[in-house]
Amino acid sequence: QKEFPRDDEIPRLLEDVRKDQKDRRRLQRLAEARSLLAAGQFESCLSLLPSMRQEFPEDEEIAKLSETARQNREEQRRQQGLTEARKQLAARSYEKSAALLTDLEKEFPGDEEIKKLQETVHHEQTEEDKHKGLGDVRNLLAAQRYGECISSLTALEKQFPRDEEVLKLQRTVAAAQTEDRKQQQLQQARNLLTAKDYESCITLLGALQKEFPAEDEVLKVLASAHKEQAEQRKREGLAQARKFLAAAKYDECLASLQELQTIFPADAEIRRLLQSTREEKAEQRKQKGLTEARTLLAARRYVESITVLEKLQFDFP
């Protein structure tokens, strides 16, 4: 071209050579990328493709290859994660397995295989916890440590409600020391009631009632506890409401009384105090409005004064 600058065929042939060279380079690098993809070297493949896309931006095959490499890399990562999670599950390392699966789920939300494996991990961990708990209870039972037996079984029952093994062992333990324990807990409940520790008393009696639903004494003490607790709550609520009323905090007083009325709808004292509070609040609002109207009148702001008074007249006809 330097020697024959006016020759038209030389530039065309030069352009053809360059195109052919570029195409060969494209094919060569595509072949290299496919080879890396086929070998499972997805990171290397993805590292190679961006520079190819810059050089050949319109080549659709590069974009497709890049997408395939990304998908394969994600699938490889997913399979590796699942394999490791299964390995931890087989070793009964449930916490590690669950943590791996949680991370995988964030990366691949909605994946059914991950979800099923999570369910398997949870089920196996739950079963192992249950059998360990049952073994501990049997050891306590063999040592006649009934109180610890019951505590452990109560925890197991909450964790595994209606489980036949737990229920069967409960019956076995209960048969050994039922009456003595029942009387001890009833006495404890009476002591709590005397000390006005109603929450603890009701919690204890609630557990007793579940275990001894036909026991009249449990029902009797429970009814007393509920009644005394309700009376205490009502007294405290009324005392608080009266403090609000004395301090002219009418909104707080009304809120407190309305809450009490929801709990004690037939109580006359609550109704009377509600009525008094509403009347005092209305009177306060009326006096405040009259004071405002007088102030406006003194300032000869007649229209504003009339507006305030008309509103008051509407509220207090």
Side-chain angles (χ1 to χ4, degrees), residues 11-12 16 52 69 76-77 91 96 99 104 128 139 148 160 174 183 208 222 241 253 257 268 282 285 287 292 307:
R12 286 197 299 270
D16 289 343
M52 290 177 65
Q76 183 187 57
R77 194 160 56 242
K96 290 182 180 178
L104 272 180
E128 183 173 274
N139 292 334
E148 293 173 65
F160 309 101
Q183 292 303 329
L208 273 176
L222 186 60
C253 183
L257 288 169
R285 187 158 55 86
Q287 292 303 327
E292 184 184 358
T307 300

Side-chain angles (χ1 to χ4, degrees), residues 192-193 196-203 225 228-229 232:
L192 289 168
L193 183 58
K196 298 184 179 181
D197 188 352
Y198 302 117
E199 289 296 333
S200 300
C201 180
I202 289 167
T203 301
E228 289 189 26
Q229 184 187 41
Q232 183 191 52

Side-chain angles (χ1 to χ4, degrees), residues 234 237-242 244-245 250-264 269-278:
K234 185 177 74 172
L238 284 170
Q240 183 64 48
R242 289 190 182 98
F244 284 140
L245 183 58
Y250 300 115
D251 290 334
E252 291 91 334
C253 183
L254 286 170
S256 179
L257 288 169
Q258 284 163 355
E259 185 180 351
L260 279 177
Q261 193 174 45
T262 304
I263 303 168
F264 309 100
E269 179 64 15
I270 295 171
R271 286 202 303 272
R272 186 193 66 75
L273 199 54
L274 259 174
Q275 182 61 29
S276 298
T277 303
R278 290 186 181 116

Side-chain angles (χ1 to χ4, degrees), residues 17-73:
V17 170
R18 284 173 178 158
K19 284 180 180 178
D20 187 60
Q21 183 184 40
K22 186 176 181 181
D23 195 49
R24 284 175 181 275
R25 188 168 61 253
R26 182 182 67 84
L27 292 173
Q28 183 181 8
R29 296 186 73 185
L30 275 173
E32 183 183 352
R34 289 193 192 96
S35 177
L36 290 169
L37 181 62
Q41 298 180 32
F42 306 121
E43 292 295 343
S44 299
C45 181
L46 287 167
S47 298
L48 178 64
L49 288 168
S51 60
M52 290 177 65
R53 275 204 304 236
Q54 286 181 354
E55 190 175 357
F56 311 103
E58 297 178 359
D59 193 300
E60 294 181 1
E61 193 170 354
I62 295 172
K64 289 178 182 178
L65 195 59
S66 180
E67 181 60 27
T68 301
R70 273 195 298 271
Q71 290 175 357
N72 287 2
R73 180 183 62 179

Side-chain angles (χ1 to χ4, degrees), residues 208-222:
L208 273 176
Q209 190 180 26
K210 287 180 181 178
E211 195 171 355
F212 308 104
E215 178 59 49
D216 291 337
E217 188 62 20
V218 175
L219 295 172
K220 181 180 175 181
V221 180
L222 186 60

Side-chain angles (χ1 to χ4, degrees), residues 29-274:
R29 296 186 73 185
L30 275 173
E32 183 183 352
R34 289 193 192 96
S35 177
L36 290 169
L37 181 62
Q41 298 180 32
F42 306 121
E43 292 295 343
S44 299
C45 181
L46 287 167
S47 298
L48 178 64
L49 288 168
S51 60
M52 290 177 65
R53 275 204 304 236
Q54 286 181 354
E55 190 175 357
F56 311 103
E58 297 178 359
D59 193 300
E60 294 181 1
E61 193 170 354
I62 295 172
K64 289 178 182 178
L65 195 59
S66 180
E67 181 60 27
T68 301
R70 273 195 298 271
Q71 290 175 357
N72 287 2
R73 180 183 62 179
E74 288 180 4
E75 181 60 21
Q76 183 187 57
R77 194 160 56 242
R78 189 181 74 91
Q79 290 297 336
Q80 287 174 345
L82 285 169
T83 299
E84 182 60 26
R86 290 190 184 99
K87 180 181 174 182
Q88 295 297 335
L89 175 59
R92 296 185 177 180
S93 298
Y94 302 114
E95 296 297 334
K96 290 182 180 178
S97 183
L100 284 168
L101 289 168
T102 300
D103 291 340
L104 272 180
E105 188 182 26
K106 289 176 183 176
E107 194 172 352
F108 306 99
D111 188 275
E112 285 298 321
E113 195 172 0
I114 295 170
K115 185 178 178 182
K116 287 178 182 178
L117 192 54
Q118 280 179 318
E119 291 170 357
T120 301
V121 170
H122 177 71
H123 175 72
E124 290 193 19
Q125 185 178 25
T126 300
E127 283 297 309
E128 183 173 274
D129 290 345
K130 184 183 77 173
H131 285 104
K132 182 180 181 301
L134 288 170
D136 292 342
V137 171
R138 290 188 183 99
N139 292 334
L140 291 168
L141 181 58
Q144 296 184 333
R145 294 160 64 179
Y146 302 112
E148 293 173 65
C149 270
I150 292 162
S151 298
S152 297
L153 282 168
T154 301
L156 277 174
E157 188 185 15
K158 288 179 181 177
Q159 193 174 356
F160 309 101
R162 296 182 294 279
D163 184 87
E164 188 54 40
E165 288 183 88
V166 175
L167 294 172
K168 184 178 178 181
L169 195 53
Q170 271 187 320
R171 290 191 290 269
T172 303
V173 173
Q177 204 77 15
T178 298
E179 189 59 32
D180 179 67
R181 182 168 46 79
K182 180 182 72 176
Q183 292 303 329
Q184 285 182 9
Q185 290 186 336
L186 266 173
Q187 186 56 49
Q188 185 183 351
R190 292 188 188 98
N191 293 340
L192 289 168
L193 183 58
T194 302
K196 298 184 179 181
D197 188 352
Y198 302 117
E199 289 296 333
S200 300
C201 180
I202 289 167
T203 301
L204 177 59
L205 288 167
L208 273 176
Q209 190 180 26
K210 287 180 181 178
E211 195 171 355
F212 308 104
E215 178 59 49
D216 291 337
E217 188 62 20
V218 175
L219 295 172
K220 181 180 175 181
V221 180
L222 186 60
S224 297
H226 279 304
K227 183 179 178 182
E228 289 189 26
Q229 184 187 41
E231 283 298 318
Q232 183 191 52
R233 184 174 182 181
K234 185 177 74 172
R235 286 194 300 271
E236 290 174 353
L238 284 170
Q240 183 64 48
R242 289 190 182 98
K243 285 182 182 178
F244 284 140
L245 183 58
K249 295 180 178 180
Y250 300 115
D251 290 334
E252 291 91 334
C253 183
L254 286 170
S256 179
L257 288 169
Q258 284 163 355
E259 185 180 351
L260 279 177
Q261 193 174 45
T262 304
I263 303 168
F264 309 100
D267 190 88
E269 179 64 15
I270 295 171
R271 286 202 303 272
R272 186 193 66 75
L273 199 54
L274 259 174

